[in-house]
Amino acid sequence: MTAPRVVAGGLRFPEGPTYLGDGAVAVVEMKGEALSRVAPDGTVTPLGDCGGGPNGSVLGAGGELYVANNGGLSAEGTGYWHAPRQLPGSVQRVDPDGTVTTVTDAFPGPAPHRPNDLCFGPDGTLYVTDSADWEHLRDLKPGHVVAIGPDGGVLGSAEIPGMPNGVAFGPDGRLYLAQSLTRKVLAFEVSGGTFGEPEQVLRLPSGMPDGFCFDGAGTLYVCGSVGNAIFVYSGGELKETIETGEGTQPTNCCAGDDGLLYVTYSLTGALIAFDLGVEPLTPHSGSVTSREDR
């Protein structure tokens, strides 16, 4: 992997990157309460005004994007930032014309809900993590991973303690999930709203797992967030640790079909690209649903 390149700076706490094709990447800007498009030349254009705290994104089959909106909470130094426009935690849909609609704000467990990340399964089911109210870490309640159907209804859920965070499907067809406070990544057999028992896949040596992605070769890239590192796994073994520098806080990533790994450095407000040094491959991100009726 070669040295990183800054694609764009000045982003307002970027998170949840989604590769759009042709070198363009969508990012949520949590403190901007917005979803934005970053062009290959670094030009940033608005895609949707979300309000609250957009935390993750995923691409739908018709070019629309789905956003996990935590309602308006972000980290700020040693404290917390609260959005000027607080919302119930929700999943939102952002259409190509910029229209933002709520898919659902109904989640199991006590409010406030903090939807964090989301992905589509092979059958078109949308899976979203609800981290619970992490503003109160000392009294943090269990969160959930929730399966959502095409009509926005909850098909099922699994309770996950320890702050469920990043989520993506692996090349083995299982749903992978970051359990941030335990430093673990778990994997589930899932089918629609039915969840199997979680299996621990790995535990980071430091930091805390936030967002992650697989590339087309099945390599797993885990953003270590407060650990200021990206951990690279192959075949379940840690192959490389990429130190990103103090205060960068890499929070999430996506693999493009251009051979690049795109990473959000939330604290420095940057979208970074790493050249993986391999032939471009179709990313295995679970990012595009096969359902046309969403």
Side-chain angles (χ1 to χ4, degrees):
M1 187 179 292
T2 60
R5 171 176 64 88
V6 177
V7 181
L11 300 169
R12 299 160 294 180
F13 207 96
E15 248 269 32
T18 292
Y19 187 70
L20 301 176
D22 296 326
V25 179
V27 296
V28 294
E29 293 188 78
M30 201 180 298
K31 292 183 180 178
E33 303 180 68
L35 176 70
S36 302
R37 178 184 184 273
V38 180
D41 65 359
T43 301
V44 180
T45 54
L47 293 177
D49 181 20
C50 299
N55 212 146
S57 70
V58 67
L59 184 64
E64 75 281 12
L65 284 145
Y66 294 84
V67 171
N69 193 314
N70 71 34
L73 181 65
S74 183
E76 187 170 64
T78 58
Y80 295 95
W81 171 90
H82 296 87
R85 294 176 291 166
Q86 293 283 307
L87 302 172
S90 62
V91 173
Q92 299 170 312
R93 171 178 168 142
V94 181
D95 288 318
D97 66 359
T99 301
V100 180
T101 55
T102 298
V103 175
T104 187
D105 58 9
F107 294 94
H113 300 289
R114 302 296 185 191
N116 191 306
D117 202 1
L118 70 178
C119 68
F120 282 111
D123 65 353
T125 301
L126 182 62
Y127 294 87
V128 57
T129 52
D130 174 8
S131 298
D133 194 14
W134 48 269
E135 184 178 7
H136 304 288
L137 282 178
R138 292 185 179 181
D139 188 35
L140 182 65
K141 302 298 189 292
H144 292 81
V145 56
V146 182
I148 299 172
D151 63 353
V154 173
L155 301 177
S157 65
E159 184 177 277
I160 309 291
M163 193 177 177
N165 199 322
V167 64
F169 273 84
D172 59 2
R174 294 192 296 173
L175 181 69
Y176 285 69
L177 180 148
Q179 191 181 34
S180 290
L181 298 186
T182 66
R183 302 214 309 261
K184 297 176 183 177
V185 172
L186 311 176
F188 299 78
E189 297 283 354
V190 296
S191 178
T194 302
F195 294 81
E197 289 297 315
E199 174 191 343
Q200 179 180 328
V201 176
L202 60 91
R203 188 172 189 269
L204 293 191
S206 62
M208 55 184 281
D210 198 322
F212 58 86
C213 70
F214 292 88
D215 68 13
T219 302
L220 173 60
Y221 303 88
V222 183
C223 290
S225 185
V226 295
N228 299 307
I230 303 164
F231 300 91
V232 184
Y233 288 84
S234 180
E237 299 294 327
L238 180 62
K239 298 299 184 183
E240 184 179 4
T241 299
I242 303 166
E243 302 290 343
T244 59
E246 193 66 30
T248 52
Q249 195 166 317
T251 50
N252 210 335
C253 57
C254 65
D257 62 7
D258 52 2
L260 300 179
L261 178 74
Y262 295 92
V263 183
T264 48
Y265 285 9
S266 291
L267 286 187
T268 59
L271 178 66
I272 305 295
F274 290 85
D275 188 336
L276 301 179
V278 298
E279 289 297 317
L281 292 165
T282 302
H284 188 100
S285 62
S287 59
V288 180
T289 172
S290 60
R291 298 189 73 111
E292 298 290 345
D293 56 342
R294 284 197 176 273

